[in-house]
Amino acid sequence: MRTAGLALAGFLAAAPAWAEFTTGDALVIGNARYGETVTAFGPDAVQAVARALRLRGQEVEQLANGGAVAMQQALDGFVAAIDEGETPLIVVLSGQFASVDGGPVLRPAGRETSKAAGLSLAAVLEVLAQSPRRAFLVLGEAGEATALEALEIPEGVTVIRGPAAKVAEFAAREMAQPALPLEKSADWYGLALSGHASDGLAVLTHTEVRPPSEAEQAAARDRIALLDETAWQRAVESGAFQAYLDSYPQGLHAEAALQMRDGAPAISPAKAEASLALDATARREIQRSLTQLGHRTGGIDGIFGPGTRGAITAWQRQSGTDPTGYLDAAQVARLAKEAAQSPAPSAPRPRRASNAVSAQEAATWNMARGERGLRAYLGQYPNGAFAARARVKLSNMQRGSGQ
């Protein structure tokens, strides 16, 4: 469990007050768009719930209108963030549920029709069972929810169910209130409670509010940008530009997605690059070329996130072309030619991409317990996939010890 003292310089206090601040982990997925149907608990509700939980110290993975791959990535990110013994664990899922051979699933948003491609609730419950009596699954039902009747709840896990609109309001308000008895607050919204439900059970128990630190906010922005870029690449490959806009209405590629969805004649830099249909191999080669020329991309993983876009922009400025952050066919060829003629760079090794973690690094991170373990990890992997998270934890520990 991560615990740290938090110095709170209150408006009415002359000296800082110290309080123990315990954090847990949460996953919030709200699917509101199914074909032409739009239901409750969309992007605004996801953001409201995630913000309420973050203010109470929860580390939150969030996703709105996610496809099958995006939902699995969000679940994987939630699992990777959990430290041994950390509580509470909270998963909020809203949308249409379906029944498959493996049990109920949350259906992906958009026009996908395969029920088997949904997010398995059995897999979610298996994760939550790691924290008995402090694990909560909150389900917002959009439409028929008969599939949830077959839900098998592990011992010690609490399940809260109800209409999506009611769950959205409950999760953003009463659920995030500390020490509020769950039975009473769920009853206010007409929600059903099953599984573990002891007297006085509350989802959150600490009383202090701590806005996310700068490091935590930066890490969250990086994760969102990476998911945004991944979703855009899938949209380009499949032509599902509306699905991208459903998940990222204000996304990095929203303008290009609108143009390509509507077949607009204007060719934006993003659309010109998209027309090249660069596959993962071609994208990795571009990243290698940029790195060879001394521009740090943040990793050679085939994903054009903020690091790669920044490297492209820097190279374009250096080359005297319009710094759009996107490439056309001529620039791809020119970049490859310049890299082939360039000697090996003397710049530091580029930062490892978060989704390209070696087994050795993963093992080192899993063993990083306490301040000594975190410092040992950072000493070995200063730019590793978990470096930002390690620094956040160290910062919390230092604030707690008064350093």
Side-chain angles (χ1 to χ4, degrees):
M1 182 185 298
R2 273 181 293 143
T3 58
L6 176 66
L8 299 173
F11 291 107
L12 302 178
W18 294 88
E20 186 180 65
F21 201 88
T22 304
T23 62
D25 293 279
L27 169 65
V28 182
I29 299 178
N31 289 346
R33 183 180 289 276
Y34 290 93
E36 300 302 322
T37 302
V38 180
T39 66
F41 212 130
D44 290 344
V46 169
Q47 181 62 30
V49 174
R51 182 178 184 277
L53 292 173
R54 285 194 182 103
L55 287 173
R56 293 292 176 184
Q58 298 294 114
E59 187 165 346
V60 183
E61 290 286 336
Q62 66 185 81
L63 178 67
N65 291 321
V69 175
M71 289 196 296
Q72 186 59 51
Q73 288 177 333
L75 177 60
D76 291 344
F78 167 68
V79 173
I82 299 172
D83 284 344
E84 184 178 356
E86 193 164 59
T87 61
L89 300 183
I90 305 169
V91 175
V92 182
L93 305 176
S94 183
Q96 294 181 2
F97 297 90
S99 182
V100 299
D101 290 342
V105 298
L106 173 63
R107 292 184 57 206
R111 300 182 183 275
E112 299 183 50
T113 57
S114 173
K115 295 178 180 179
L119 182 67
S120 167
L121 268 60
V124 173
L125 287 167
E126 184 178 353
V127 175
L128 292 176
Q130 300 175 23
S131 182
R133 295 175 295 282
R134 296 294 299 138
F136 304 88
L137 176 60
V138 186
L139 302 174
E141 305 159 0
E144 294 293 331
T146 56
L148 297 179
E149 300 300 331
L151 193 64
E152 297 183 5
I153 306 172
E155 184 178 356
V157 177
T158 304
V159 175
I160 305 107
R161 288 177 49 190
K166 292 291 186 180
V167 165
E169 189 175 359
F170 161 79
R173 296 183 178 182
E174 270 67 23
M175 188 180 78
Q177 295 302 313
L180 187 64
L182 181 57
E183 287 185 328
K184 179 182 295 185
S185 59
D187 185 61
W188 288 343
Y189 288 89
L191 306 180
L193 200 62
S194 55
H196 174 68
S198 61
D199 291 341
L201 177 66
V203 177
L204 300 176
T205 57
H206 51 268
T207 58
E208 301 296 344
V209 174
R210 177 179 69 84
S213 68
E214 291 184 6
E216 290 167 330
Q217 293 180 61
R221 286 194 296 269
D222 287 345
R223 289 196 301 273
I224 292 172
L226 180 61
L227 289 172
D228 187 322
E229 191 65 37
T230 303
W232 171 245
Q233 290 185 35
R234 288 199 304 272
V236 171
E237 293 167 359
S238 64
F241 298 107
Q242 183 58 56
Y244 171 82
L245 289 167
D246 289 342
S247 293
Y248 301 95
Q250 305 296 325
L252 299 172
H253 307 282
E255 180 180 354
L258 284 168
Q259 291 178 344
M260 298 184 76
R261 182 199 66 181
D262 299 335
I267 302 297
S268 68
K271 186 174 182 179
E273 182 184 280
S275 69
L276 302 178
L278 299 169
D279 59 16
T281 300
R283 287 172 174 265
R284 285 193 292 269
E285 191 58 38
I286 289 170
Q287 290 172 324
R288 288 191 188 94
S289 296
L290 289 165
T291 302
Q292 179 75 9
L293 295 172
H295 301 289
R296 301 183 65 174
T297 63
I300 300 175
D301 55 6
I303 297 175
F304 282 10
T308 299
R309 293 298 175 194
I312 291 173
T313 301
W315 173 76
Q316 288 171 328
R317 286 198 183 99
Q318 190 179 72
S319 303
T321 58
D322 190 16
T324 64
Y326 295 88
L327 297 167
D328 57 27
Q331 290 175 342
V332 171
R334 177 179 175 181
L335 180 60
K337 182 178 180 179
E338 289 183 7
Q341 297 173 346
S342 174
S346 57
R349 186 175 64 180
R351 179 181 176 183
R352 183 189 305 276
S354 61
N355 65 339
V357 185
S358 68
Q360 182 177 356
E361 180 182 350
T364 302
W365 172 250
N366 289 334
M367 296 176 64
R369 295 289 179 264
E371 184 173 350
R372 179 177 297 179
L374 293 170
R375 292 192 183 281
Y377 169 81
L378 287 172
Q380 190 171 356
Y381 302 100
N383 294 314
F386 307 101
R389 181 168 167 78
R391 291 189 178 95
V392 168
K393 290 186 175 185
L394 282 173
S395 175
N396 287 341
M397 291 178 181
Q398 290 168 357
R399 282 184 292 185
S401 60
Q403 296 181 18

